[in-house]
Amino acid sequence: MKPLSFKRHRFPADVIRHAVWLYFRFSLSLRDVEEMLAARGIEVSYETIRCWTRKFGPLIARRLRKRRPSPSPRWHLDEVVCWIGGRRMYLWRAVDDEGEVLDLVVQRRRDNEAALKLLGRLLRNQPVEPERITTDGLASYGSALRELGLKHLHRPGRLRENNRVENSHLSIRRRERKQQGFESQASAQKFLTAHAAIYNTFNLQRHLISRPTLRRFRAEADAAWAAATA
């Protein structure tokens, strides 16, 4: 991969990298990032930080995705309501049984066509074939899987069986509240796609591992970020 180009930017590359990392890594607003940089003697406006995140966020996310190992073939699918630009929309997401975000798509409907779009993206972009697909009780999943010839993999879930994806919505809800909603369908799709790749890199599930393992995983995540932003 070609190195990221930070030419024609007034601030050093390390400042831009750190600002983008803060914004996507934590539930911070652009103004929060501005204040944190100001506390370190770096005077930059939140609008400039917005430009950095829009330009470099998707680029870094693509690089991180290329470096991720193959996910589990056991998928969990779910949809959640979001208010975007004052309109009711649906965020369709897929994670594996270890919490890795596989893909997501923001759509206006909650029907068979929307389910087909998510499943089509998954089958086209994931490096592994699914072994099991767990969903909630929405009939659109069964209909879409039947059309794709994957009905035998379907596990229409009870609540506990699909907790993995239900819990993974929490990070999105935190960001949605912090940003006071998303401006448009396109901007929500762009931000959440980049956020998912960075979330996957730093989602260490610290409550399940020992401190030495946590330190090792953190070092690996930091190394992946450094390589993706070089």
Side-chain angles (χ1 to χ4, degrees):
M1 291 182 290
K2 293 182 179 179
L4 286 179
S5 175
F6 295 93
K7 292 181 179 179
R8 296 186 294 277
H9 287 276
R10 183 164 62 92
F11 287 86
D14 286 344
V15 172
I16 298 174
R17 291 189 190 99
H18 189 62
V20 174
W21 179 77
L22 286 172
Y23 182 66
F24 284 102
R25 174 68 182 87
F26 304 103
S27 296
L28 300 173
S29 68
L30 294 167
R31 289 174 174 82
D32 290 336
V33 177
E34 177 185 353
E35 290 291 332
M36 294 179 73
L37 293 178
R40 291 164 173 77
I42 303 170
E43 294 293 336
V44 54
S45 73
Y46 70 88
E47 287 295 345
T48 298
I49 298 170
R50 185 197 307 276
C51 293
W52 293 345
T53 59
R54 289 184 173 179
K55 177 179 180 179
F56 293 106
L59 295 175
I60 295 170
R62 282 198 293 272
R63 289 164 168 253
L64 288 172
R65 281 194 294 273
K66 290 180 179 180
R67 295 174 178 275
R68 295 294 293 172
S70 296
S72 163
R74 294 173 290 279
W75 299 351
H76 295 254
L77 279 58
D78 192 43
E79 73 291 338
V80 64
V81 174
C82 291
W83 290 92
I84 300 176
R87 300 185 61 180
R88 182 187 178 98
M89 294 192 182
Y90 296 93
L91 173 60
W92 295 70
R93 299 174 72 244
V95 305
D96 69 8
D97 61 354
E98 296 180 352
E100 181 96 357
V101 181
L102 303 175
D103 208 341
L104 58 92
V105 59
V106 180
Q107 305 193 75
R108 296 182 181 180
R109 298 184 180 277
R110 186 170 177 254
D111 57 13
N112 177 69
E113 184 179 349
L116 277 172
K117 184 171 182 180
L118 174 63
L119 286 163
R121 287 169 62 103
L122 286 169
L123 296 171
R124 185 169 57 251
N125 298 329
Q126 294 305 313
V128 294
E129 295 292 328
E131 293 180 359
R132 185 178 70 232
I133 301 176
T134 304
T135 71
D136 58 19
L138 183 66
S140 298
Y141 289 117
S143 174
L145 288 166
R146 191 179 301 109
E147 288 189 35
L148 295 170
L150 300 175
K151 183 64 175 176
H152 61 289
L153 303 179
H154 190 204
R155 301 292 184 273
R158 301 176 181 86
L159 289 177
R160 289 187 179 181
E161 292 176 351
N162 217 26
N163 271 350
R164 174 61 73 182
V165 68
E166 294 283 354
N167 291 335
S168 76
H169 289 317
L170 297 178
S171 62
I172 302 300
R173 288 303 195 199
R174 285 194 294 268
R175 294 309 304 243
E176 185 182 28
R177 288 193 296 270
K178 193 66 178 179
Q179 297 178 207
Q180 299 180 355
F182 299 107
E183 297 176 359
S184 67
Q185 182 176 354
S187 65
Q189 179 74 46
K190 186 175 182 179
F191 168 80
L192 293 172
T193 300
H195 176 269
I198 296 168
Y199 172 84
N200 287 340
T201 301
F202 291 97
N203 180 29
L204 307 180
Q205 302 189 52
R206 55 191 299 171
H207 61 292
L208 299 176
I209 56 179
S210 64
R211 294 299 297 185
T213 303
L214 176 60
R215 287 194 292 271
R216 178 166 61 85
F217 284 179
R218 278 179 173 165
E220 291 173 356
D222 291 340
W225 176 264
T229 58

